[in-house]
Amino acid sequence: MKRKIKGFAILVFLFTVQLFFAQEKAVSGIVSDGSGPIPGANVVVKGTSNGVQTDFDGKYKIKAKTGDVIVFSYMGMKDQSITVGNSSTVNVKMQDGGEQLEEVVVTALGVKKEEKKLGYAVSKITSDEITKSGEQNVLQALAGKAAGVQVIGTGGTPGASSKIIIRGVNTIKGNSDPLIVVDGIPIDNTTSQTSAGDNPFNANLSGINNSNRALDINPDDIESVSVLKGPAAAALYGERAGNGVIIYTTKKGKSGKSLGIDYSTALAIDHVSQLPARQNKYVQGTSATATAVNPNTPQSWGPSAESLNIPMYNNVKNFFQEGLTFTNNISFYGGNEKATYRASYGNVTQTGMIPETGLKRNTLRVVGDLKLNEKWKTGGSLQYTHTTNTLAQNGSNSSGVMLSLLRSPSNYDLRNYKDGEGNNMNYYNSYDNPYFTVNENPATSDVNRVFGNMYFTYSPAAWLSFTAKGGIDTYSDYRKQVYAISSNGDNLAGMGEVAFNNINNKQFYVDFIATGLLPLKSEWLKINYTAGLNLRSSQNTDVFSRGKDLAVRNLYNLSNATQLYASNAESNVMSRALFGQLEFDVKNQLFITGSLRKEWSSTYGTDANSALFPAASASWVLSSSFDLPEWINFMKMTYGYGEVGIAPQPYYTISTFSQPFMTDGFTDGLSFPYNGVNGMAVSGVLGNQQLKPERVLGHELGFNTKFLENRLSFDLNLYYKTSKDLLIELPLPQSSGYALVYQNAAELVNKGIEVELGYDIFKKNNAFQWNINLNWSKNENKVTDIYGNLDEISIETAFGSIGYYAVKGQPLGSFYGTKWKRDENGQKIIGSNGLPIVADETGNLGNSAPKWTGGLRNTFTYKRVTLSGLLDFRHGGVVYNGTLARLHNFGVSEASADREHNYIIDGVKQDGTPNNIAISAKNYYQKYLGDGGGAAEEAVTDVNWIRLRDITLSYDFNVKKFTAINSAQLSFTGRNLWLNTNYKGVDPETSLTGAGSKINGLDYFNNPGSKSFIMTLKVGF
């Protein structure tokens, strides 16, 4: 019995000792390097979610048990693991990371690679930079953040589209959008315009500015962005990568976290950033000697309001309102060594600066990865987005908000916008009152979208890993446009209209990829291979229906219409491709990569059959091959060559039928059915079985360095791209029965330079940190050849006085229009009426592409406070300010108020003597500065700007006392708060025709840009 008691006592003693040693204790210490303490180092108990960061003196304190392993990590340093012993103090001195200094970036096919192995340029944008922008459109959020990447917004209205141009435009008539890839799966980023089949005009010039579909991505779900700018980087995407590739990698679950919760909420307040100045002195009319307001003209060349003793109104100030955006995001994440997960929900509710406009977006996203065993792994993601948008009528149409608003005479109060019966009331009968437009003529869009992917990976050995990956992207866009009875929109003359547009788009994407490291018995050579098959299918349907001449007011149903019309379009494209890539690693110093993609597509002609897209690149790490000075930490040279493509438009390989129409350029003209009789004819475009994709062949040379303990980095990239086999429509003799043939028939060149510089002013152990990042780029573009003995072709229809052209020997996208006649010294020749003479021939008025662009970000950090600001620069590139020209013409511009004297235009008379002929102020502003018969060149401005793209002040709260809270941050952001520009109009980062158009730099009563004040609270649990 005593033995049993004694044995039991020993067991109790041992169990007590075990409990004692297994108890958690506070482990503390200092993390440092050769320069001193390291603030912000990560300290984590391995295999748990228990982790802290060192403070500004490098100190930490964490709870751990004896035997636990604590992992210490910091960017640029080697990870260190320390096993907890009896001591409660663990000091760690970290070592330079050497090989870990190279960050990992996401490249083509979603493959992650070390930067040092890349033989081409890839720009990286972090999730923090996306968040700081405050933009809801993930494309607009890239503005100013990467060299060689130009972002063109279309206005500050909710859901406004954004266009991205990477290293210049590579095509004349083709799609100029880069390919958008989310987690390895390409998605649709179409900006489609609603257009009836009987519309003979360019639908981009009027109507509304629809969103690009990248708007459906929630910025809060983005982890990082990689921009593949050159053909060498993007060649594995073949015919879809001719304009570059933007790869978005989304946030995923985290191993070692049982359950983490991130929540953020933000409020943004939007104001109009910039508008053309207007005069507030003279009233509506055509004569300064009139004794009353003349309501039969939209012009403001009447007498002064003071002389008539009538009140004046600030219509522009009265119209715009404060825009509000409420954003809420919550995510749940976690996982262990076998499985990780993340689920998120995002909500955006935005009201625009233009009344009654708005955007609502709800996003649900689920992503997970599961390691079944050592050989099998699977995972996937799924996102659902519901986006609704109420848009404003835009630009060049009589129902356009800005057209009527900016032209309005100040003697008329626009708030009086309808009579007792609900009819449109305005200062001029041919225009819709802007209040009537926003309240009675709504244009809405309702998008439901699902996209996602799933993959399986089988890795039986180091030399073989097989992945099957599939993705789907499908959405429906239900659009409705109303023109109330009495509206002038759509040339209705007040009869009323309702139009519906249903767009459905589906894309399916499948990859079968084998990768591995060849089993070579060599210490100096490693060879990785990639081989695969890609299948892709795209389906699009577009159904338009319209009813005109409404019988009952405010009943917007086709059954209420007298005149009915419907049209539809369908498109189905299929492609398949084989691809392979070899990567050679020579002594971890020289990295050579070669790839080839062979692609078949249903849009190719049978004579072309398929296309090949080769690429090769090399990276030589000089700092590993030579004994360089100590202050040079890293240096490499790169060279890359690649070929990518832009696919032909579908169905141009065959001759099709269509309903013919005839128009005079001013009216909708005549079309079938006519008097109840239908008619079809060949479309006028001859089918071409020789069609092949446009090809972009690119060379690039890079030099990348890091100095001064990796605090200073400098990257230089030079590139030269030739775009061949560009697809354009060439004229045919009418005797052939066809007017045009769609053919590979032009060439152009882009060449440029990109510079990126980063500098950490102070060493990382300094409590105050100052980081500078600079990017600068310059691109030159020229059309080198147009077949068929043509010197020029119209890129897209603009206005009668100005066009957008590709001209042989000139930069692509030049504005061509009327110019002043000049003598040999460049002086304007003045006619006997005192006005300059318009030249007989039109000429080049300038190119819309900037001469160079740049971005400069400064980030200051002191303890828990961070201040970051991005300056965005643009030098050169013209904008056609048609808005100001028309305001001059109508006597509404601020300058036209200076009308109490005559003007003498600088120039010479036809006999060569200096001009001394005086003209009236009205003639000066209407026929010289305005668009009342003068030259279009007068309205073209070579634009420069410096803007404060964003500035953010943030504070990270000390949450150590709150065990349930891991982090908390409060930030204040300003977007576009300051703009210094020579442009007299709306924000010159503008585009009338939207991201779906090929025209850039066209301003004709465009909706204004915005400046925003944003407050954000983020909390992590």
Side-chain angles (χ1 to χ4, degrees), residues 50 76 100 133 138 170 186 199 207 238 307 377 390 470 534 571 575 757 769 781 805 807 874 885-886 927 965 989 1017:
N50 182 17
Q100 295 185 10
S133 73
V138 293
N170 300 301
N199 179 17
S307 68
K377 185 178 180 181
T390 302
N534 171 243
S571 173
S575 77
L757 176 70
Q769 291 291 310
N781 171 292
Y805 284 84
V807 181
R874 163 174 164 159
R886 182 52 57 97
K927 299 179 181 180
I965 301 177
E989 185 183 75
L1017 175 65

Side-chain angles (χ1 to χ4, degrees), residues 4 109 132 164 203 209 261 264 388 395 404 418 421 454 470 477 504 618 624 646 726 784 798 909 925 945 950 988 1001:
K4 289 182 178 181
L109 303 179
K132 285 176 181 176
I164 288 191
N209 192 321
I261 302 174
S264 67
T388 58
S404 182
K418 64 180 179 179
E421 295 182 0
M454 187 172 183
D477 188 353
N504 287 278
S624 297
I646 299 173
L726 299 185
T784 55
K909 292 188 290 187
Y925 284 101
W945 78 50
D950 63 64

Side-chain angles (χ1 to χ4, degrees), residues 193-201 203 490 499-501 542-546 565-569 657-662 668 670-673 679-680:
Q193 186 63 268
T194 295
S195 180
D198 62 347
N199 179 17
F201 306 119
D490 206 22
F500 301 94
N501 190 200
D542 188 328
V543 179
F544 177 86
S545 57
R546 180 186 67 219
Y565 173 84
S567 61
N568 73 292
F657 287 83
S658 62
Q659 290 179 329
F661 62 82
M662 297 179 65
D668 288 344
L670 300 175
S671 64
F672 287 97
M680 296 288 286

Side-chain angles (χ1 to χ4, degrees), residues 155-476:
T157 54
S161 63
S162 295
K163 178 191 293 187
I164 288 191
I165 298 174
I166 301 175
R167 289 183 173 178
V169 178
N170 300 301
T171 180
I172 294 177
K173 303 281 281 188
N175 184 357
S176 61
D177 293 334
L179 178 66
I180 306 298
V181 179
V182 177
D183 290 339
I185 303 296
I187 67 166
D188 182 85
N189 183 41
T190 302
T191 309
S192 59
Q193 186 63 268
T194 295
S195 180
D198 62 347
N199 179 17
F201 306 119
N202 181 3
N204 291 316
L205 289 173
S206 60
I208 58 174
N209 192 321
N210 290 291
S211 305
N212 57 291
R213 290 272 53 95
L215 178 72
D216 301 324
I217 302 173
N218 182 3
D220 193 68
D221 286 332
I222 301 302
E223 180 67 34
S224 65
V225 183
S226 296
V227 183
L228 310 184
K229 295 184 282 191
L236 283 176
Y237 287 111
E239 69 163 23
R240 305 184 75 190
N243 300 301
V245 182
I246 301 177
I247 300 175
Y248 290 92
T249 302
T250 64
K251 297 175 181 176
K252 293 178 171 56
K254 295 181 180 179
S255 178
K257 187 79 172 179
S258 56
L259 175 62
I261 302 174
D262 286 337
Y263 173 73
S264 67
T265 183
L267 168 64
I269 302 173
D270 298 330
H271 295 278
V272 174
S273 62
Q274 180 170 303
L275 287 168
R278 293 166 18 102
Q279 63 92 1
N280 195 41
K281 182 178 180 181
Y282 296 95
V283 303
Q284 187 176 5
T286 58
S287 173
T289 60
T291 57
V293 171
N294 180 2
N296 297 317
T297 177
Q299 298 184 13
S300 292
W301 288 104
S304 68
E306 184 180 12
S307 68
L308 299 181
N309 195 27
I310 60 175
M312 300 289 269
Y313 304 93
N314 191 333
N315 286 316
V316 173
K317 182 179 180 181
N318 292 340
F319 180 76
F320 290 107
Q321 64 183 19
E322 192 174 70
L324 296 176
T325 303
F326 298 92
T327 305
N328 291 281
N329 289 286
I330 188 168
S331 63
F332 304 87
Y333 62 91
N336 53 35
E337 294 180 356
K338 290 188 176 182
T340 61
Y341 67 90
R342 184 179 186 270
S344 64
Y345 168 71
N347 169 263
V348 176
T349 302
Q350 183 177 11
T351 58
M353 303 175 300
I354 296 177
E356 305 304 321
T357 61
L359 170 74
K360 291 184 179 180
R361 184 181 66 205
N362 289 278
T363 305
L364 284 167
R365 183 173 180 81
V366 179
V367 58
D369 295 282
L370 175 63
K371 186 177 181 180
L372 301 173
N373 54 42
E374 293 302 318
K375 296 182 179 181
W376 285 94
K377 185 178 180 181
T378 185
S381 66
L382 185 66
Q383 176 173 315
Y384 168 71
T385 302
H386 182 215
T387 306
T388 58
N389 205 183
T390 302
L391 304 109
Q393 289 291 329
N394 183 40
S396 178
N397 73 94
S398 56
S399 199
V401 168
M402 294 295 288
L403 183 144
S404 182
L405 176 64
L406 292 183
R407 297 181 185 186
S408 64
S410 297
N411 57 273
Y412 186 91
D413 188 353
L414 287 174
R415 290 172 291 190
N416 183 26
Y417 72 91
K418 64 180 179 179
D419 61 20
E421 295 182 0
N423 291 315
N424 173 51
M425 291 179 60
N426 205 9
Y427 59 91
Y428 185 59
N429 289 334
S430 296
Y431 303 157
D432 281 359
N433 188 307
Y435 287 95
F436 187 86
T437 291
V438 298
N439 286 285
E440 308 297 329
N441 296 343
T444 58
S445 170
D446 190 326
V447 175
N448 286 281
R449 185 173 191 177
V450 174
F451 64 83
N453 67 83
M454 187 172 183
Y455 72 89
F456 285 93
T457 298
Y458 175 60
S459 304
W463 59 270
L464 176 62
S465 179
F466 182 78
T467 298
K469 178 173 60 178
I472 184 173
D473 178 14
T474 176
Y475 67 84
S476 64

Side-chain angles (χ1 to χ4, degrees), residues 646-783:
I646 299 173
Q649 297 179 38
Y651 306 121
Y652 273 82
T653 57
I654 57 176
S655 301
T656 59
F657 287 83
S658 62
Q659 290 179 329
F661 62 82
M662 297 179 65
T663 179
D664 55 11
F666 296 95
T667 68
D668 288 344
L670 300 175
S671 64
F672 287 97
Y674 184 72
N675 284 340
V677 178
N678 195 16
M680 296 288 286
V682 289
S683 64
V685 180
L686 176 65
N688 184 358
Q689 288 294 343
Q690 295 180 334
L691 290 183
K692 54 187 176 182
E694 302 179 349
R695 304 184 67 80
V696 183
L697 291 66
H699 300 263
E700 64 177 287
L701 185 66
F703 181 64
N704 315 104
T705 57
K706 293 182 181 180
F707 308 101
L708 305 177
E709 298 178 353
N710 302 294
R711 288 163 41 215
L712 175 63
S713 63
F714 175 77
D715 295 343
L716 172 67
N717 288 283
L718 308 173
Y719 62 87
Y720 187 95
K721 296 187 298 180
T722 303
S723 296
K724 294 186 175 182
D725 299 327
L726 299 185
L727 289 156
I728 59 176
E729 293 174 335
L730 294 177
L732 292 175
Q734 293 290 342
S735 58
S736 68
Y738 297 92
L740 301 166
V741 60
Y742 185 60
Q743 184 174 322
N744 300 94
E747 294 184 6
L748 63 85
V749 166
N750 283 280
K751 57 183 178 180
I753 180 173
E754 298 168 351
V755 176
E756 293 184 337
L757 176 70
Y759 186 38
D760 296 326
I761 304 295
F762 303 105
K763 294 184 178 181
K764 52 183 170 287
N765 61 334
N766 197 309
F768 178 73
Q769 291 291 310
W770 179 7
N771 173 261
I772 299 174
N773 281 285
L774 168 71
N775 70 77
W776 181 89
S777 62
K778 177 181 176 63
N779 181 81
E780 293 182 358
N781 171 292
K782 185 168 70 172
V783 178

